[in-house]
Amino acid sequence: MQAPPYLDSLNEAQKQAVLHTSGPVMIIAGAGSGKTRVLTYRIAHLIRQEIPAYNILALTFTNKAAKEMQARIMEICGSEARNLWMGTFHSVFAKILRIEADRLNYPSSFTIYDTDDSKSLIKAIIKEMQLDDKIYKPNIIYNRISNAKNNLITAEAYASASDLVSYDFKSGRPKFIEIYRAYANRCFKAGAMDFDDLLMNTDKLFRMHPDVLLKYQHKFKYIMVDEYQDTNICQYSIIKRLAAAHENICVVGDDAQSIYSFRGATIQNILNFQRDYRDASIFKLEQNYRSTQTIVGAAGHIIAKNKDQLEKEVWTSNEEGEKIRIIRAVTDNEEGRLVVQSIFEQRMKSQESYGSFVILYRTNYQSRSFEEALRKLSIPYRIYGGTSFYQRKEVKDLIAYLRLVVNPNDEAALKRIINYPARKIGNSTLDKIILTSNQGNTSLWEVVKNVAQFPLIGRSAAHVQRFSLMMQSFMSMKDAHNAYDLASHVAKQTGLLKFLHEDKTTEGISKYENLVELLNGIKEFTEDDTSELSKDLSTYLQEISLLTDADKKEDNETPKVSLMTIHSSKGLEYPFVYIVGLEENLFPSQMALNSRAELEEERRLFYVAITRAEKKLNLSFATSRFRFGSLLSCEPSRFIDEIDNQFLELQPIKSSSHQPSALNKGFGNNKSLISSLQKTGKVTSQFSKRPIDINFKAGDTSNIDSGDQVEHNRFGKGKVILLEGEGNARKVKVLFEEVGEKTLVLSFAKLRIISS
């Protein structure tokens, strides 16, 4: 039999991983090593070996990845690929849970709560329990509940765990377990599952119903899991159970890119795979096709400092490429200016679009200085991970109506729209409905539907009844109409479209257009002939509820500089990468310095950031930064010291100070870099060609005043035109002869007064 042509595009390691289809397999895939191609061809190869596609389960972490892989498999294998069970953990398990919902006493049309829904419910419970929301912060409570579920700890199990209960007492939140229990009960009563429930309930289903587990064990004879290093305990438990019958399990991942412990992921799942499957075959994809030798080499030297890792040696046959450039700034604002100036210059030099550039930071708040600098130079940019289309208020409002049509017990949806647009059902009436519901241990909808039976509701009962009749009319149409026809009818009859159309402000017009765009999307869903999904409203709602950040539609009309957290960048690649804010207590984060394991995850995060770069990598840090209203001194990140100087440009860092002490402080062990600067004693400024003496001595500026003539090592001579601020935050604006106006923080400016 002739070898399939797709094998010709694989290197030897990739080919072996594709051809080895039986038994437990772990594919250790280094950054940029073509793991998606291997996973795609492996599935295609199984189908070509006459394994029915419906016997194959492939789990990914984004719907986008699943759809792209399935499309490629269809090109190779034809329509048989439609029968694959392929998608995210949440989408596949949601499908199983809808089929088996009655086993867990859920309706098959259960609602999937997103993060906002969950936090809103938690906030309501905290209020009803009359707890202080400054102590019981909804975000903290939500994250703790999520963490418990990811570790398969139910509310009942939590209450029995003395160490957890004791921790809550010591943390000043002894009522946490009561909130957790109430939250679980309210979700169940509403016929709703949050994202974590989709996992925990699947585990519960398989654990409590062996016949159901057996059914899916024999259905999924071949199991493949992408990004295995990102799985949590719950996902691990489900996969282990499903694979137990045949053990034809293949996991693909890279322990060096395990960066989601805050979401419950545990690196031990991939580190211990060989312990779980003693006869596992191991394949290592070590050739990097993405980055230059410089970038690959630097990344390898960094990650080698971690103790907990699987042995591998990533290499590339790509060109050596440019050295890594380090940008040193005095303040975070200057860091923004220098980075954006570098992007502007690099684009002019390389003639590539702005879409080839990305700025990566540790935390979202760091984007401000870069956004300001980008706007000043009129450079287009986009914030990755900003407000999703489906998280916009007007969009969520209509979706809430549609959710209530499909699942009348959906508490979050009902509370959101019962008085929107306004229909004289105020908060006091809603509070009475909630109280009646809790006292009778029934859903809010049952109270609303039978409002005449509850005298507590009072004079607003007539308005509630009109709302109830309207919703019941929508519900009666559910089975006879497709998603678009029903959604369009709901949007009109509720008054949502009319309400927004009458608002002629810029914001109102935008909201109306978003609602129309939502309806356009539903229309597209119902007319998609390439999908075999049902076109009903329930299926549509499930599809959009499981979208991940990576699945969001992007504006591709104009190439833009991307700004995002490093966590959001995983799986992406750019020709030119700027990793910013490389300072101690920022990156690595101060919260990650309590243990070796936490520091190693921060180092893996840095590794992920480095390996996003294809052609050129730039690193930046500031020696001072405003935090919580105060100007703080910053130490350069230890990660800069950990880069071997063979990978760095032997040039000065762009800085407002080049004194030897500052250089030593910034570069740690890179002595040859410091030495090369000290030999000449002079370096070239970014702003002019004037030589800079690294032995330049700053003077006493405590009595500096407007009109004084001053000199700066980089900017030359100038005149003070403005002084503002007090103490360490005092700033000086100087009109320099060579470079124009500059505003400097006086305590860091390194000026000397020539004449007063």
Side-chain angles (χ1 to χ4, degrees), residues 104-122:
L104 299 176
N105 296 317
Y106 274 89
S108 60
S109 60
F110 63 80
T111 298
I112 299 173
Y113 278 0
D114 64 16
T115 302
D116 285 350
D117 295 325
S118 297
K119 289 181 180 178
S120 178
L121 177 54
I122 289 168

Side-chain angles (χ1 to χ4, degrees), residues 113-129 133 136-143 145 179 182-183 186-187 190 194 391 396-397 400 403 410-417 427 430-431 434 444:
Y113 278 0
D114 64 16
T115 302
D116 285 350
D117 295 325
S118 297
K119 289 181 180 178
S120 178
L121 177 54
I122 289 168
K123 188 175 181 179
I125 291 169
I126 291 169
K127 180 181 178 182
E128 291 165 24
M129 294 176 66
D133 61 4
Y136 293 90
K137 294 181 179 179
N139 275 355
I140 292 175
I141 300 300
Y142 169 80
N143 289 330
I145 290 174
I179 300 173
Y183 174 76
R186 293 275 278 275
C187 284
D194 63 22
Q391 293 299 318
K396 292 201 74 171
D397 289 335
R403 279 172 36 178
D410 187 337
E411 177 180 329
L414 188 147
K415 287 162 66 176
R416 185 181 187 96
I417 50 85
N427 289 335
L430 182 56
D431 288 342
I434 293 170
L444 298 187

Side-chain angles (χ1 to χ4, degrees), residues 126-194:
I126 291 169
K127 180 181 178 182
E128 291 165 24
M129 294 176 66
Q130 298 182 328
L131 298 173
D132 187 344
D133 61 4
K134 293 181 176 61
I135 297 174
Y136 293 90
K137 294 181 179 179
N139 275 355
I140 292 175
I141 300 300
Y142 169 80
N143 289 330
R144 190 146 177 82
I145 290 174
S146 176
N147 188 57
K149 290 181 178 181
N150 285 332
N151 286 280
L152 297 173
I153 303 172
T154 63
E156 292 74 19
Y158 195 105
S160 302
S162 58
D163 57 330
L164 296 176
V165 175
S166 174
Y167 173 85
D168 291 330
F169 269 91
K170 291 176 182 176
S171 302
R173 289 185 285 267
K175 298 287 187 181
F176 169 80
I177 181 56
E178 294 181 31
I179 300 173
Y180 185 8
R181 188 182 286 117
Y183 174 76
N185 290 338
R186 293 275 278 275
C187 284
F188 182 74
K189 190 169 68 174
M193 298 188 198
D194 63 22

Side-chain angles (χ1 to χ4, degrees), residues 127-128 415 418-419 423-437 444 447-448 451 454-461 463-464:
K127 180 181 178 182
E128 291 165 24
K415 287 162 66 176
I418 191 170
N419 195 41
R423 47 178 64 93
K424 298 181 180 179
I425 305 174
N427 289 335
S428 61
T429 301
L430 182 56
D431 288 342
K432 292 173 184 176
I433 293 171
I434 293 170
L435 179 61
T436 304
S437 166
L444 298 187
V447 178
V448 168
V451 66
F454 301 103
L456 176 65
I457 308 303
R459 289 180 298 175
S460 298
H463 304 303
V464 175

